[in-house]
Amino acid sequence: MACIYHYCSVYEALADLKEKGYTYDFNIHDEEIKQNPDNFEIEHIYRYEGESNPADEAAVYGIKSIEGLRGVFVTGFSANSQSDTAQILIDITIQGR
């Protein structure tokens, strides 16, 4: 994992990643990550915490595939919003450290 950035909002994180070429939406195509997690690397991660509501917590991932495809995945950061794909990305993050 290359970078951790601090943005004021999820929107700013997504806009910056888009400028950097992360245009693929892994939220729509999350099966690709689930089926082949070893084919992906997390290059950027941003965690957003809401000011007053813990339910506003989110994580924005800048992901690159071994084929060079770059995209984003956005997920809630609270325990009740974790999807299978989000857990895989957490595992990839831990492995990358």
Side-chain angles (χ1 to χ4, degrees):
M1 179 174 60
C3 301
I4 296 177
Y5 293 100
H6 301 281
Y7 299 101
C8 292
S9 69
V10 171
Y11 176 80
E12 285 184 21
L14 291 171
D16 188 57
L17 288 170
K18 185 175 182 179
E19 281 184 26
K20 290 178 164 81
Y22 295 83
T23 57
Y24 194 72
D25 188 341
F26 282 110
N27 285 87
I28 295 172
H29 305 283
D30 68 334
E31 287 299 319
E32 296 175 33
I33 295 171
K34 287 185 210 177
Q35 292 172 359
N36 299 298
D38 294 336
N39 291 350
F40 297 93
E41 175 185 358
I42 298 170
E43 294 190 314
H44 302 273
I45 186 169
Y46 167 69
R47 287 184 171 83
Y48 175 74
E49 296 181 17
E51 290 184 27
S52 62
N53 186 349
D56 290 340
E57 295 178 356
V60 178
Y61 292 91
I63 303 168
K64 180 181 171 186
S65 72
I66 59 174
E67 293 89 14
L69 179 66
R70 292 177 187 233
V72 295
F73 185 84
V74 180
T75 185
F77 202 65
S78 61
N80 63 350
S81 66
Q82 290 290 328
S83 67
D84 292 339
T85 305
Q87 186 58 54
I88 290 168
L89 293 173
I90 290 169
D91 294 343
I92 292 171
T93 303
I94 292 169
Q95 291 170 1
R97 290 182 181 206

